[in-house]
Amino acid sequence: MCPRTIFSDDWVNGDMPFPAFKNISRYFHLVKNVHLQGWGEPLLHPELTNMLAIAKAESCKASLTTNGMLLTREISEELIKKRLDTIVVSIAGAVRETHENIRCGSHFEQIIDNIRALADLKLEMRSKTPRIVLSFLMTKTNIRELPDAVGLAKDMGGNEFLAANLDYTPTQALDDLKVFSPDKADPLAGMHIDAARIKAREIKLSFRVYPLMMEEMIMCEMDPLRIVFISFDGCVSPCVYLNLPKRGFIPRIFRGTLNSVQRVCFGSIAEHDFMEIWNSEAYRDFRGFFARRMAVRRETFDFIDAFPSKDAMTAMFEKQESNLRENPLPAVCQTCYKAYGI
């Protein structure tokens, strides 16, 4: 499922050079969270712990997402010492067969052992961090295992469970696996999610699930007004979905139709200062789409009385919808599932 595999002939691999990361870190005093993650496995980066140390030295919260295969005791101990705030480990099933059929080359039992070892190390070292989040990729082939996966997460020492959608589908085969729908949610998938939610409540595990129905968001979860993604080659973009380091266009299926968008890069930190890129006219114009949409929402709620009538509420939200149509999403975002709450 990883784009690196799907686009192997056109994919450009690489690690962000440490000097480039240090250059970016000059602006970490403006940053709340540094997520050390791109389109690869962060535990493979030879300078990961040094990058983490730099982020923490600037009082940033630091996090990463991993497949868990390289989460050895030595690495886990180092991540705890360096005060990593959150680690997200991706799983795709509650049993070995399901997980390994989806994540080829992965070893389910090894991942489970590694997570348990990390949780045990936290106790030994009397550390509350990193917060361990299990991210479960929901597909039609594994959704029935969601409640059992919640129980497994608690048993491993997890602090939170995230049920995530397959939100980037560049091929028809992948798009067919998604559990969410543009029009009508699958009631069976909803039943499995409800069962998982009840299970999480019973065992007192924080549980978050993405919706099964699409709804255009005023602000995408990637929030281009506050979030920036910088790829290993220094390309500065609004989000990871617009910044795949591959040759040619970025394909994506949206509502059953194959679309292609160009990689969005507002400049490279190898050639320009970050703030110069952030304040460039093109980047400001892109953020302007979302700034105007946020202004529409503020205007809507500014004119709602403390105790509005039902008719007044309906009229205001109808006006908001009309104003949003006049202030659409950027063209490159209109065919991305993340812009619709997925």
Side-chain angles (χ1 to χ4, degrees):
M1 293 185 176
C2 179
R4 291 173 59 134
T5 302
I6 295 171
F7 306 126
S8 58
D9 291 340
D10 296 314
W11 196 265
V12 182
N13 288 305
D15 290 330
M16 176 177 283
F18 190 53
F21 182 85
K22 291 177 70 175
N23 183 34
I24 300 168
S25 72
R26 293 190 295 124
Y27 296 99
F28 280 0
H29 65 285
L30 304 173
V31 173
K32 291 183 179 180
N33 184 73
V34 176
H35 191 65
L36 299 167
Q37 174 67 29
W39 287 106
E41 171 53 50
L43 298 184
L44 283 171
H45 200 293
E47 298 286 355
L48 176 68
T49 54
N50 290 328
M51 290 175 166
L52 174 57
I54 288 174
K56 296 303 297 182
E58 292 292 341
S59 300
C60 298
K61 288 188 175 181
S63 55
L64 60 83
T65 301
T66 175
N67 61 29
M69 287 289 292
L70 300 178
L71 197 61
T72 63
R73 179 182 177 89
E74 180 182 6
I75 290 178
S76 292
E77 187 172 340
E78 191 67 16
L79 294 177
I80 294 172
K81 288 179 179 178
K82 290 294 192 296
R83 297 180 295 124
L84 178 70
D85 292 279
T86 303
I87 184 167
V88 183
V89 184
S90 302
I91 61 173
V95 298
R96 180 181 62 80
E97 183 179 8
T98 304
H99 172 90
E100 294 182 8
N101 280 340
I102 293 175
R103 296 194 178 276
C104 299
S106 178
H107 299 288
F108 184 69
E109 293 172 358
Q110 180 181 337
I111 295 169
I112 301 306
D113 290 343
N114 289 347
I115 297 171
R116 283 200 175 102
L118 172 61
D120 290 342
L121 263 177
K122 285 173 58 180
L123 292 174
E124 289 178 25
M125 299 173 68
R126 299 181 180 180
S127 176
K128 293 183 179 180
T129 58
R131 181 174 177 81
I132 301 174
V133 179
L134 273 295
S135 179
F136 183 98
L137 181 67
M138 295 187 291
T139 71
K140 290 177 180 176
T141 59
N142 69 4
I143 188 69
R144 66 188 181 281
E145 296 180 17
L146 188 60
D148 289 339
V150 168
L152 179 63
K154 181 71 173 183
D155 181 62
M156 289 186 290
N159 305 112
E160 183 178 346
F161 190 95
L162 172 65
N165 278 311
L166 182 57
D167 51 34
Y168 175 57
T169 57
T171 67
Q172 189 61 54
L174 287 182
D175 199 64
D176 290 342
L177 284 176
K178 67 184 190 300
V179 294
F180 65 89
S181 169
D183 304 307
K184 185 178 181 180
D186 179 1
L188 186 58
M191 289 174 55
H192 293 309
I193 288 174
D194 288 342
R197 185 180 285 111
I198 293 171
K199 178 75 170 181
R201 189 182 305 124
E202 290 174 348
I203 61 179
K204 295 181 172 56
L205 180 69
S206 178
F207 180 80
R208 179 188 172 198
V209 60
Y210 279 86
L212 297 181
M213 284 286 292
M214 290 171 51
E215 180 182 357
E216 183 177 321
M217 299 287 101
I218 295 175
M219 172 62 72
C220 170
E221 185 184 35
M222 298 293 100
D223 193 351
L225 298 182
R226 299 188 307 119
I227 296 174
V228 63
F229 173 66
I230 305 176
S231 59
F232 81 92
D233 56 2
C235 178
V236 179
S237 292
C239 77
V240 68
Y241 295 88
L242 292 173
N243 195 348
L244 276 68
K246 67 177 290 292
R247 290 178 286 271
F249 286 89
I250 299 172
R252 56 165 72 140
I253 292 178
F254 180 76
R255 288 183 174 270
T257 301
L258 180 63
N259 301 268
S260 292
V261 298
Q262 284 186 310
R263 185 185 185 193
V264 175
C265 182
F266 289 111
S268 172
I269 57 166
E271 302 170 1
H272 304 281
D273 180 79
F274 171 73
M275 292 306 295
E276 179 184 347
I277 298 171
W278 177 258
N279 292 317
S280 67
E281 183 178 0
Y283 208 165
R284 285 188 285 108
D285 286 346
F286 182 89
R287 296 197 302 273
F289 283 90
F290 293 95
R292 289 189 292 272
R293 291 170 68 83
M294 292 298 288
V296 168
R297 185 174 73 172
R298 287 194 299 271
E299 290 170 4
T300 300
F301 286 95
D302 284 347
F303 288 97
I304 292 180
D305 295 331
F307 301 100
S309 67
K310 183 177 179 180
D311 289 343
M313 287 286 291
T314 300
M316 288 306 303
F317 281 112
E318 287 178 351
K319 182 179 180 181
Q320 175 177 274
E321 288 301 312
S322 175
N323 289 340
L324 286 176
R325 285 193 293 271
E326 296 176 4
N327 294 277
L329 294 162
V332 292
C333 299
Q334 291 176 15
T335 57
C336 177
Y337 286 129
K338 294 301 291 184
Y340 299 84
I342 296 302

